[in-house]
Amino acid sequence: MSLSEFQIISHYFAATGLGFPRDGVRLGIGDDAAIVEFDSDVPVSMSMDILIEGVHFPNQTDGFNTATRALAVNLSDLAAMAAEPLCFTLGLSLPAIDEAWVEGFAAGLSQLAKRYNCPLVGGDLTRSPENTPITIAIQVHGSHQKNAPVRRSGAKPGDGVFVTGALGDGALALASLGLSSHLGVGSSVGADELPDDDRRYFEEAYFQPQPRLDFALQAATLMSACIDISDGLAGDLGHILHASGVGADINLDEIPYSLAALMNTEADIRRKAALYGGDDYELCFTATADGADRLREIADRECLALHQIGVITNSLELRLLNHEGLEVTMEGQAYQHFSGEAK
Ligand code: ADP
Ligand code: MG
Protein backbone atom coordinates (compact mmCIF):
# COMPACT_ATOMS: atom_id res chain seq x y z
CA MET A 1 0.00 0.00 0.00
CA SER A 2 1.46 3.41 -0.93
CA LEU A 3 1.77 6.18 1.61
CA SER A 4 -1.10 8.05 0.11
CA GLU A 5 -3.38 5.12 0.73
CA PHE A 6 -2.47 5.12 4.43
CA GLN A 7 -3.09 8.84 4.42
CA ILE A 8 -6.49 8.31 2.87
CA ILE A 9 -7.40 5.86 5.63
CA SER A 10 -6.25 8.11 8.43
CA HIS A 11 -7.52 11.34 6.90
CA TYR A 12 -10.90 10.22 5.57
CA PHE A 13 -11.88 6.93 7.14
CA ALA A 14 -10.49 7.17 10.67
CA ALA A 15 -11.87 10.72 10.87
CA THR A 16 -14.34 11.82 13.54
CA GLY A 17 -17.41 11.49 11.32
CA LEU A 18 -16.72 7.84 10.58
CA GLY A 19 -14.42 6.30 13.17
CA PHE A 20 -16.26 7.71 16.19
CA PRO A 21 -16.47 5.84 19.52
CA ARG A 22 -19.52 3.78 20.35
CA ASP A 23 -20.56 1.44 23.17
CA GLY A 24 -19.68 -2.11 22.23
CA VAL A 25 -16.79 -1.10 19.97
CA ARG A 26 -13.57 -1.44 21.97
CA LEU A 27 -11.14 -0.71 19.17
CA GLY A 28 -11.73 0.79 15.75
CA ILE A 29 -9.46 1.62 12.82
CA GLY A 30 -5.69 1.38 13.26
CA ASP A 31 -4.65 -2.05 14.45
CA ASP A 32 -4.65 -5.34 12.60
CA ALA A 33 -8.31 -5.85 13.48
CA ALA A 34 -11.16 -4.04 15.18
CA ILE A 35 -12.39 -5.32 18.53
CA VAL A 36 -16.11 -5.51 19.22
CA GLU A 37 -17.65 -6.68 22.48
CA PHE A 38 -20.38 -9.24 22.02
CA ASP A 39 -22.62 -10.20 24.89
CA SER A 40 -22.93 -13.98 24.98
CA ASP A 41 -26.74 -13.93 25.07
CA VAL A 42 -27.27 -11.12 22.55
CA PRO A 43 -27.47 -12.26 18.92
CA VAL A 44 -25.66 -10.17 16.29
CA SER A 45 -26.91 -9.82 12.70
CA MET A 46 -24.20 -9.49 10.06
CA SER A 47 -24.87 -8.64 6.46
CA MET A 48 -22.69 -7.73 3.51
CA ASP A 49 -23.48 -6.14 0.16
CA ILE A 50 -21.01 -5.67 -2.68
CA LEU A 51 -21.62 -2.80 -5.08
CA ILE A 52 -19.84 -2.64 -8.44
CA GLU A 53 -19.77 0.53 -10.50
CA GLY A 54 -21.78 0.12 -13.67
CA VAL A 55 -23.69 -2.81 -12.19
CA HIS A 56 -25.13 -1.67 -8.86
CA PHE A 57 -24.75 2.06 -9.36
CA PRO A 58 -24.22 4.11 -12.53
CA ASN A 59 -20.76 4.82 -13.92
CA GLN A 60 -19.39 8.22 -12.89
CA THR A 61 -21.59 8.49 -9.80
CA ASP A 62 -20.08 11.01 -7.40
CA GLY A 63 -18.55 9.82 -4.16
CA PHE A 64 -21.31 11.12 -1.88
CA ASN A 65 -24.16 9.41 -3.73
CA THR A 66 -22.16 6.21 -4.09
CA ALA A 67 -21.56 6.14 -0.35
CA THR A 68 -25.10 6.88 0.77
CA ARG A 69 -26.42 4.15 -1.50
CA ALA A 70 -23.75 1.64 -0.45
CA LEU A 71 -24.28 2.09 3.28
CA ALA A 72 -28.07 2.53 3.10
CA VAL A 73 -28.65 -0.77 1.30
CA ASN A 74 -26.63 -2.51 4.00
CA LEU A 75 -28.45 -0.75 6.84
CA SER A 76 -31.70 -1.73 5.15
CA ASP A 77 -30.78 -5.38 5.70
CA LEU A 78 -30.34 -4.65 9.40
CA ALA A 79 -33.77 -2.95 9.41
CA ALA A 80 -35.27 -6.07 7.85
CA MET A 81 -33.87 -8.14 10.75
CA ALA A 82 -34.83 -5.47 13.34
CA ALA A 83 -31.17 -5.24 14.37
CA GLU A 84 -29.77 -2.08 15.90
CA PRO A 85 -26.70 -0.93 13.90
CA LEU A 86 -23.47 -1.43 15.84
CA CYS A 87 -20.64 -0.81 13.38
CA PHE A 88 -19.50 -1.53 9.83
CA THR A 89 -16.40 -2.49 7.87
CA LEU A 90 -15.52 -1.29 4.38
CA GLY A 91 -13.64 -2.97 1.56
CA LEU A 92 -12.87 -0.46 -1.15
CA SER A 93 -11.16 -1.21 -4.44
CA LEU A 94 -10.33 1.83 -6.57
CA PRO A 95 -8.71 1.89 -10.02
CA ALA A 96 -7.34 5.38 -9.29
CA ILE A 97 -7.25 7.65 -6.28
CA ASP A 98 -9.46 10.61 -7.02
CA GLU A 99 -9.31 12.59 -3.79
CA ALA A 100 -12.44 14.63 -4.46
CA TRP A 101 -14.35 11.38 -4.98
CA VAL A 102 -12.93 9.88 -1.78
CA GLU A 103 -13.76 13.03 0.17
CA GLY A 104 -17.38 12.93 -1.04
CA PHE A 105 -17.51 9.21 -0.35
CA ALA A 106 -16.33 9.68 3.24
CA ALA A 107 -18.82 12.53 3.73
CA GLY A 108 -21.70 10.37 2.45
CA LEU A 109 -20.74 7.46 4.70
CA SER A 110 -20.31 9.78 7.62
CA GLN A 111 -23.80 11.25 7.23
CA LEU A 112 -25.45 7.86 7.58
CA ALA A 113 -22.93 6.48 10.09
CA LYS A 114 -23.68 9.33 12.50
CA ARG A 115 -27.42 9.27 11.84
CA TYR A 116 -27.59 5.57 12.79
CA ASN A 117 -24.78 5.54 15.37
CA CYS A 118 -22.88 3.01 13.27
CA PRO A 119 -19.15 3.84 13.16
CA LEU A 120 -16.68 2.51 10.61
CA VAL A 121 -14.31 0.21 12.52
CA GLY A 122 -12.03 -1.14 9.81
CA GLY A 123 -11.68 -2.42 6.32
CA ASP A 124 -9.29 -2.65 3.45
CA LEU A 125 -8.31 -0.33 0.64
CA THR A 126 -6.77 -1.65 -2.53
CA ARG A 127 -5.84 -0.36 -5.95
CA SER A 128 -7.49 -2.27 -8.78
CA PRO A 129 -6.19 -2.27 -12.37
CA GLU A 130 -6.74 0.88 -14.41
CA ASN A 131 -10.14 1.30 -16.05
CA THR A 132 -11.80 -1.36 -13.94
CA PRO A 133 -14.95 -0.43 -12.03
CA ILE A 134 -14.95 0.84 -8.45
CA THR A 135 -15.98 -1.97 -6.10
CA ILE A 136 -17.33 -1.46 -2.60
CA ALA A 137 -18.00 -4.17 -0.06
CA ILE A 138 -19.64 -3.13 3.18
CA GLN A 139 -20.39 -5.41 6.08
CA VAL A 140 -22.74 -4.15 8.75
CA HIS A 141 -23.11 -5.60 12.21
CA GLY A 142 -26.30 -5.14 14.20
CA SER A 143 -27.13 -5.94 17.78
CA HIS A 144 -30.28 -7.66 19.04
CA GLN A 145 -29.95 -6.32 22.56
CA LYS A 146 -33.34 -4.59 22.20
CA ASN A 147 -35.19 -6.74 19.64
CA ALA A 148 -35.20 -10.41 18.78
CA PRO A 149 -34.35 -11.00 15.11
CA VAL A 150 -37.33 -10.92 12.73
CA ARG A 151 -36.90 -13.73 10.23
CA ARG A 152 -38.46 -14.37 6.83
CA SER A 153 -39.97 -17.59 8.06
CA GLY A 154 -42.63 -16.45 10.55
CA ALA A 155 -45.61 -15.53 8.33
CA LYS A 156 -48.88 -17.33 9.18
CA PRO A 157 -52.15 -17.65 7.20
CA GLY A 158 -54.41 -14.75 8.16
CA ASP A 159 -51.54 -12.31 8.80
CA GLY A 160 -51.72 -9.01 6.94
CA VAL A 161 -49.02 -8.14 4.38
CA PHE A 162 -47.72 -4.59 4.83
CA VAL A 163 -45.27 -2.33 3.04
CA THR A 164 -43.64 0.89 4.20
CA GLY A 165 -43.25 3.98 2.01
CA ALA A 166 -43.92 3.90 -1.73
CA LEU A 167 -42.86 1.23 -4.22
CA GLY A 168 -41.45 1.43 -7.72
CA ASP A 169 -39.36 4.58 -7.29
CA GLY A 170 -36.04 2.72 -7.47
CA ALA A 171 -36.71 1.33 -10.95
CA LEU A 172 -38.43 4.51 -12.12
CA ALA A 173 -35.41 6.47 -10.91
CA LEU A 174 -33.06 4.42 -13.07
CA ALA A 175 -35.35 5.02 -16.02
CA SER A 176 -35.56 8.75 -15.28
CA LEU A 177 -31.76 8.92 -15.12
CA GLY A 178 -31.86 7.65 -18.68
CA LEU A 179 -30.20 4.39 -17.67
CA SER A 180 -31.33 1.16 -19.12
CA SER A 181 -33.50 -0.79 -16.82
CA HIS A 182 -34.44 -4.42 -17.16
CA LEU A 183 -38.08 -3.33 -17.10
CA GLY A 184 -37.84 -1.50 -20.36
CA VAL A 185 -39.65 1.43 -18.74
CA GLY A 186 -36.98 3.93 -19.80
CA SER A 187 -38.92 5.68 -22.51
CA SER A 188 -42.10 5.76 -20.46
CA VAL A 189 -40.80 8.01 -17.69
CA GLY A 190 -39.87 10.65 -20.24
CA ALA A 191 -36.51 11.74 -18.83
CA ASP A 192 -36.68 14.89 -20.95
CA GLU A 193 -40.13 15.96 -19.83
CA LEU A 194 -39.68 15.12 -16.16
CA PRO A 195 -40.18 18.23 -13.98
CA ASP A 196 -36.97 19.14 -12.09
CA ASP A 197 -38.53 18.45 -8.69
CA ASP A 198 -39.56 14.96 -9.74
CA ARG A 199 -36.19 14.26 -11.28
CA ARG A 200 -34.54 15.27 -8.00
CA TYR A 201 -37.01 13.16 -6.07
CA PHE A 202 -36.21 10.05 -8.13
CA GLU A 203 -32.47 10.67 -7.90
CA GLU A 204 -32.70 10.94 -4.14
CA ALA A 205 -34.87 7.84 -3.91
CA TYR A 206 -32.21 5.90 -5.81
CA PHE A 207 -29.01 7.28 -4.34
CA GLN A 208 -30.21 7.98 -0.83
CA PRO A 209 -32.71 5.28 0.06
CA GLN A 210 -33.87 5.58 3.66
CA PRO A 211 -33.21 2.44 5.69
CA ARG A 212 -36.41 1.93 7.72
CA LEU A 213 -34.52 1.28 10.94
CA ASP A 214 -36.44 3.62 13.23
CA PHE A 215 -39.71 2.02 12.24
CA ALA A 216 -38.39 -1.56 12.31
CA LEU A 217 -36.85 -1.27 15.77
CA GLN A 218 -40.17 -0.08 17.23
CA ALA A 219 -42.38 -2.43 15.21
CA ALA A 220 -40.25 -5.57 15.59
CA THR A 221 -42.36 -7.29 18.23
CA LEU A 222 -45.48 -6.87 16.07
CA MET A 223 -43.95 -8.40 12.93
CA SER A 224 -44.17 -12.11 12.17
CA ALA A 225 -41.81 -11.95 9.15
CA CYS A 226 -39.93 -9.18 7.38
CA ILE A 227 -37.75 -8.53 4.33
CA ASP A 228 -36.43 -5.41 2.65
CA ILE A 229 -37.43 -4.89 -0.96
CA SER A 230 -34.27 -4.90 -3.05
CA ASP A 231 -35.43 -7.00 -6.03
CA GLY A 232 -39.10 -6.02 -6.37
CA LEU A 233 -42.16 -6.80 -4.25
CA ALA A 234 -43.07 -10.02 -6.08
CA GLY A 235 -39.67 -11.64 -5.65
CA ASP A 236 -39.01 -10.43 -2.13
CA LEU A 237 -42.47 -11.24 -0.78
CA GLY A 238 -41.93 -14.57 -2.55
CA HIS A 239 -38.94 -15.18 -0.25
CA ILE A 240 -41.15 -14.67 2.81
CA LEU A 241 -43.78 -17.03 1.37
CA HIS A 242 -41.20 -19.66 0.55
CA ALA A 243 -39.45 -19.45 3.92
CA SER A 244 -42.76 -19.50 5.79
CA GLY A 245 -44.45 -22.19 3.69
CA VAL A 246 -47.48 -20.00 2.94
CA GLY A 247 -49.04 -18.02 0.08
CA ALA A 248 -50.48 -14.50 -0.25
CA ASP A 249 -53.30 -12.64 -1.94
CA ILE A 250 -52.12 -9.17 -2.91
CA ASN A 251 -54.56 -6.45 -3.95
CA LEU A 252 -52.71 -4.60 -6.72
CA ASP A 253 -54.75 -1.44 -6.11
CA GLU A 254 -53.39 -1.19 -2.57
CA ILE A 255 -49.74 -0.92 -3.67
CA PRO A 256 -48.59 2.59 -2.67
CA TYR A 257 -46.84 4.94 -5.10
CA SER A 258 -45.11 8.28 -4.72
CA LEU A 259 -46.66 11.43 -6.14
CA ALA A 260 -43.77 11.60 -8.61
CA ALA A 261 -44.56 8.08 -9.85
CA LEU A 262 -48.29 8.83 -10.08
CA MET A 263 -47.72 12.09 -11.97
CA ASN A 264 -45.17 10.78 -14.47
CA THR A 265 -45.97 7.17 -15.26
CA GLU A 266 -48.81 5.04 -16.54
CA ALA A 267 -50.44 2.60 -14.14
CA ASP A 268 -49.05 -0.46 -15.85
CA ILE A 269 -45.47 0.83 -15.80
CA ARG A 270 -45.42 1.82 -12.14
CA ARG A 271 -47.06 -1.46 -11.19
CA LYS A 272 -44.31 -3.38 -12.99
CA ALA A 273 -41.69 -1.16 -11.37
CA ALA A 274 -43.10 -1.98 -7.92
CA LEU A 275 -43.51 -5.71 -8.50
CA TYR A 276 -40.38 -6.49 -10.48
CA GLY A 277 -38.15 -3.41 -10.40
CA GLY A 278 -36.40 -3.44 -7.04
CA ASP A 279 -34.02 -0.88 -5.51
CA ASP A 280 -36.80 0.43 -3.27
CA TYR A 281 -35.38 -0.60 0.13
CA GLU A 282 -38.78 -0.38 1.76
CA LEU A 283 -39.85 -3.09 4.21
CA CYS A 284 -42.37 -5.78 3.37
CA PHE A 285 -43.58 -7.54 6.49
CA THR A 286 -46.42 -9.60 7.90
CA ALA A 287 -48.33 -9.07 11.14
CA THR A 288 -51.52 -10.28 12.81
CA ALA A 289 -54.61 -8.07 12.61
CA ASP A 290 -54.47 -7.12 16.28
CA GLY A 291 -51.12 -5.38 15.75
CA ALA A 292 -52.37 -3.20 12.90
CA ASP A 293 -53.40 -0.17 15.00
CA ARG A 294 -50.11 -0.07 16.87
CA LEU A 295 -48.17 -0.44 13.62
CA ARG A 296 -50.05 2.53 12.19
CA GLU A 297 -49.29 4.60 15.30
CA ILE A 298 -45.58 3.85 14.98
CA ALA A 299 -45.60 4.69 11.27
CA ASP A 300 -47.48 7.96 11.93
CA ARG A 301 -44.96 8.92 14.59
CA GLU A 302 -42.16 8.27 12.09
CA CYS A 303 -44.05 10.17 9.34
CA LEU A 304 -43.80 7.01 7.28
CA ALA A 305 -46.54 5.70 4.99
CA LEU A 306 -47.73 2.20 5.89
CA HIS A 307 -50.12 0.18 3.73
CA GLN A 308 -51.66 -3.21 4.11
CA ILE A 309 -51.58 -4.65 0.60
CA GLY A 310 -52.87 -8.15 1.20
CA VAL A 311 -53.14 -11.22 3.41
CA ILE A 312 -51.21 -14.42 3.93
CA THR A 313 -53.05 -17.55 2.77
CA ASN A 314 -52.36 -21.25 3.06
CA SER A 315 -52.39 -21.66 -0.75
CA LEU A 316 -48.58 -21.66 -1.27
CA GLU A 317 -49.13 -19.22 -4.16
CA LEU A 318 -48.65 -15.51 -4.64
CA ARG A 319 -51.89 -14.30 -6.25
CA LEU A 320 -52.17 -10.77 -7.62
CA LEU A 321 -55.77 -9.53 -7.51
CA ASN A 322 -57.55 -6.54 -9.04
CA HIS A 323 -60.09 -4.42 -7.15
CA GLU A 324 -62.84 -6.94 -7.96
CA GLY A 325 -60.81 -9.71 -6.37
CA LEU A 326 -60.05 -11.32 -9.75
CA GLU A 327 -56.61 -12.75 -10.37
CA VAL A 328 -54.40 -10.75 -12.73
CA THR A 329 -51.56 -12.37 -14.66
CA MET A 330 -48.54 -10.14 -14.98
CA GLU A 331 -45.54 -10.52 -17.20
CA GLY A 332 -42.21 -9.97 -15.55
CA GLN A 333 -39.90 -11.38 -12.97
CA ALA A 334 -37.71 -10.15 -10.19
CA TYR A 335 -34.17 -9.26 -11.14
CA GLN A 336 -31.76 -12.11 -10.52
CA HIS A 337 -28.06 -11.68 -11.06
CA PHE A 338 -27.17 -15.12 -12.25
CA SER A 339 -30.16 -15.68 -14.49
CA GLY A 340 -28.79 -13.56 -17.33
CA GLU A 341 -31.08 -10.83 -18.65
CA ALA A 342 -34.29 -10.75 -16.68
CA LYS A 343 -37.40 -10.48 -18.82
P1 ADP B 1 -3.28 -4.87 7.44
O1 ADP B 1 -2.17 -4.72 6.47
O2 ADP B 1 -2.86 -5.26 8.82
O3 ADP B 1 -4.45 -5.64 6.92
P2 ADP B 1 -4.13 -2.32 6.55
O4 ADP B 1 -2.89 -1.62 6.24
O5 ADP B 1 -4.93 -2.92 5.43
O6 ADP B 1 -3.86 -3.39 7.68
O7 ADP B 1 -5.09 -1.33 7.34
C1 ADP B 1 -4.66 -0.59 8.45
C2 ADP B 1 -5.84 -0.19 9.29
O8 ADP B 1 -6.70 0.63 8.49
C3 ADP B 1 -6.69 -1.36 9.77
O9 ADP B 1 -7.16 -1.07 11.07
C4 ADP B 1 -7.83 -1.41 8.80
O10 ADP B 1 -9.00 -1.96 9.37
C5 ADP B 1 -7.98 0.05 8.44
N1 ADP B 1 -8.53 0.21 7.08
C6 ADP B 1 -7.95 -0.15 5.92
N2 ADP B 1 -8.75 0.15 4.86
C7 ADP B 1 -9.87 0.70 5.40
C8 ADP B 1 -11.08 1.19 4.85
N3 ADP B 1 -11.34 1.17 3.54
N4 ADP B 1 -11.98 1.67 5.69
C9 ADP B 1 -11.75 1.67 7.01
N5 ADP B 1 -10.66 1.23 7.60
C10 ADP B 1 -9.71 0.74 6.80
MG1 MG C 1 -5.23 -4.97 4.88
Side-chain angles (χ1 to χ4, degrees), residues 1 6 9 32 123-125:
M1 208 187 247
F6 282 119
I9 294 168
D32 290 307
D124 200 16
L125 175 62

Side-chain angles (χ1 to χ4, degrees), residues 97-167:
I97 302 292
D98 170 349
E99 261 204 71
W101 189 93
V102 175
E103 186 176 352
F105 185 75
L109 289 182
S110 161
Q111 180 175 297
L112 276 179
K114 284 192 281 196
R115 163 76 173 78
Y116 293 106
N117 193 22
C118 186
L120 175 63
V121 296
D124 200 16
L125 175 62
T126 169
R127 183 85 68 108
S128 39
E130 251 178 87
N131 300 319
T132 52
I134 293 171
T135 304
I136 301 153
I138 288 181
Q139 177 154 29
V140 284
H141 306 245
S143 150
H144 288 283
Q145 186 126 45
K146 294 184 184 144
N147 293 296
V150 181
R151 307 271 311 268
R152 296 177 178 181
S153 51
K156 299 270 179 316
D159 286 356
V161 178
F162 297 82
V163 292
T164 60
L167 302 189

Side-chain angles (χ1 to χ4, degrees), residues 51-76:
L51 288 87
I52 302 173
E53 182 182 19
V55 179
H56 303 99
F57 60 96
N59 289 317
Q60 313 294 329
T61 301
D62 65 50
F64 191 93
N65 276 339
T66 304
T68 48
R69 180 167 168 78
L71 187 50
V73 304
N74 275 279
L75 291 171
S76 176

Side-chain angles (χ1 to χ4, degrees), residues 114-287:
K114 284 192 281 196
R115 163 76 173 78
Y116 293 106
N117 193 22
C118 186
L120 175 63
V121 296
D124 200 16
L125 175 62
T126 169
R127 183 85 68 108
S128 39
E130 251 178 87
N131 300 319
T132 52
I134 293 171
T135 304
I136 301 153
I138 288 181
Q139 177 154 29
V140 284
H141 306 245
S143 150
H144 288 283
Q145 186 126 45
K146 294 184 184 144
N147 293 296
V150 181
R151 307 271 311 268
R152 296 177 178 181
S153 51
K156 299 270 179 316
D159 286 356
V161 178
F162 297 82
V163 292
T164 60
L167 302 189
D169 287 341
L172 296 173
L174 273 181
S176 76
L177 292 170
L179 296 163
S180 63
S181 149
H182 64 285
L183 288 173
V185 298
S187 54
S188 40
V189 180
D192 299 338
E193 298 126 51
L194 203 59
D196 283 349
D197 282 356
D198 293 338
R199 182 194 309 277
R200 267 194 298 275
Y201 170 84
F202 281 130
E203 273 185 33
E204 218 174 283
Y206 184 80
F207 287 116
Q208 295 171 33
Q210 302 296 308
R212 299 306 185 188
L213 277 159
D214 297 334
F215 175 80
L217 295 179
Q218 295 173 70
T221 54
L222 302 167
M223 295 172 171
S224 49
C226 186
I227 193 167
D228 68 322
I229 303 177
S230 52
D231 298 330
L233 176 66
D236 288 322
L237 174 58
H239 292 311
I240 287 185
L241 304 183
H242 185 76
S244 302
V246 294
D249 282 355
I250 297 301
N251 183 345
L252 290 174
D253 291 338
E254 299 296 334
I255 294 179
Y257 299 101
S258 67
L259 207 53
L262 289 167
M263 298 298 286
N264 296 290
T265 62
E266 284 171 17
D268 180 50
I269 297 292
R270 57 180 176 265
R271 181 173 286 176
K272 273 193 187 163
L275 287 169
Y276 310 112
D279 289 319
D280 284 327
Y281 300 100
E282 294 295 345
L283 297 178
C284 173
F285 64 92
T286 58

Side-chain angles (χ1 to χ4, degrees), residues 14-69:
T16 49
L18 272 173
F20 54 87
R22 188 207 194 286
D23 282 354
V25 176
R26 196 184 294 180
L27 182 66
I29 293 171
D31 213 311
D32 290 307
I35 303 176
V36 180
E37 292 159 358
F38 290 145
D39 219 324
S40 62
D41 51 1
V42 176
V44 173
S45 283
M46 295 183 196
S47 175
M48 169 177 267
D49 272 309
I50 298 180
L51 288 87
I52 302 173
E53 182 182 19
V55 179
H56 303 99
F57 60 96
N59 289 317
Q60 313 294 329
T61 301
D62 65 50
F64 191 93
N65 276 339
T66 304
T68 48
R69 180 167 168 78

